Amino acid sequence: MTYEHLRIALFGNIHQSKKNQYVAAIVNHLTHLGVQIAVEEQFATFITQQLGVVLPSFVPFCHHKGCQADMAISIGGDGTFLGTAAKLAGTGIPILGINTGHLGFLADVTPEHLAPALDALCRGDYVVEERSMLAVEKDGRPSDFHPYALNEVAVLKHDNSSLIEVSTYVNGLFLTDFLADGIILCTATGSTGYSLSVGGPIIVPGTGTLCLSAVAPHSLSVRPVVMRDDVEIRLKIRSRSGRFLLTADGKSESLPDSTTITLRKANVSTPVIKIDHKDFFGTLRDKLNWRGSNIKRQDSCAAGEE
């Protein structure tokens, strides 16, 4: 069976060649299936010049701002997936992640399952999960550097050992002044990322919540705050250096501490393709190496005894 009606755009990591060793296999398999392929322009230049991957002559470049595709494939780790999501934000194009990185909560198709996953993708044998994004504003204007974030937005100290103070308001109501290395606002998707490393909770996707966590707070009484995702959060920063870092899904820029940051749920989302869909708790067991097999055996024994 061929799939001439499908158009798939390929995105990938342009910095680590080892993570792109499967690109040729993906291109060849999709070509064999008759799929129309487009490759993001920077990625195409990288894989042809740095990796020596020969793309068929009919494969066009994909300019992500005007990308026309039925779906996209991100080749790399979760960081690459986040970059792909940022480029495709607002297009509605669903993304499949091929994991050549580490944990892979978003990019969860492993290389050994590459061929069957691509076959399932073309057959339409998958589910799509809509993941919320955060919208970032600076002084009331959308950020031109990183207007959206799928995982998290962080405000961090900048080139200084001193802590920063972040006055935090939720829907106009004062929450507290965080004295810390910084604070993180994450979505449910991002709760297993940076936020988790600073003691934030794991949030089940689809629960409609955000989490605000401090990075190395000065007070032991400071704890993560989980809230509904329809709130507006405003941050005012004070720093001895006069500057701070604003980061969104790993992209950073330096700003003067006179800048007010406003965060809210974006009016766009990221559709994530899941092959061989499993429940979120099964994913946690796999990715975080939690025990589960013994419990299953005990449950089975108990059921047998009954």
Side-chain angles (χ1 to χ4, degrees), residues 18-136:
K18 289 183 178 179
K19 292 186 177 181
N20 291 297
Q21 59 181 303
Y22 303 100
V23 175
I26 293 172
V27 170
N28 291 337
H29 195 87
L30 292 178
T31 302
H32 175 72
L33 293 174
V35 175
Q36 301 177 50
I37 305 170
V39 184
E40 194 269 333
E41 186 171 14
Q42 280 187 308
F43 187 48
T45 301
F46 176 78
I47 62 177
T48 54
Q49 295 183 0
Q50 300 296 322
L51 303 183
V53 174
V54 179
L55 294 174
S57 58
F58 59 82
V59 174
F61 287 157
C62 171
H63 302 279
H64 53 263
K65 291 184 179 179
C67 186
Q68 300 293 323
D70 297 297
M71 56 197 70
I73 295 177
S74 172
I75 307 165
D78 279 353
T80 305
F81 192 102
L82 293 174
T84 303
K87 292 173 180 177
L88 295 178
T91 65
I93 298 174
I95 307 169
L96 173 69
I98 304 296
N99 180 26
T100 60
H102 298 292
L103 281 179
F105 277 94
L106 290 167
D108 59 357
V109 174
T110 55
E112 57 267 27
H113 296 114
L114 187 59
L118 294 177
D119 291 340
L121 180 69
C122 294
R123 291 196 308 269
D125 187 11
Y126 57 83
V127 296
V128 176
E129 299 179 355
E130 292 288 342
R131 299 294 183 92
S132 299
M133 303 186 81
L134 293 170
V136 186

Side-chain angles (χ1 to χ4, degrees), residues 97 114 126 138 177 184 222 224 235 238 304:
L114 187 59
Y126 57 83
K138 300 179 295 188
D177 290 324
I184 303 168
V222 174
L235 308 174
R238 287 174 292 279

Side-chain angles (χ1 to χ4, degrees), residues 123-182:
R123 291 196 308 269
D125 187 11
Y126 57 83
V127 296
V128 176
E129 299 179 355
E130 292 288 342
R131 299 294 183 92
S132 299
M133 303 186 81
L134 293 170
V136 186
E137 292 182 358
K138 300 179 295 188
D139 291 333
R141 298 184 301 275
S143 169
D144 54 354
F145 182 62
H146 38 44
Y148 303 113
L150 175 58
N151 259 10
E152 78 275 316
V153 176
V155 166
L156 303 169
K157 67 180 184 179
H158 182 32
D159 295 336
N160 193 299
S161 60
S162 300
L163 305 177
I164 59 173
E165 188 174 16
V166 185
S167 297
T168 305
Y169 300 81
V170 180
N171 285 343
L173 300 176
F174 178 64
L175 174 61
T176 189
D177 290 324
F178 287 102
L179 188 62
D181 282 358

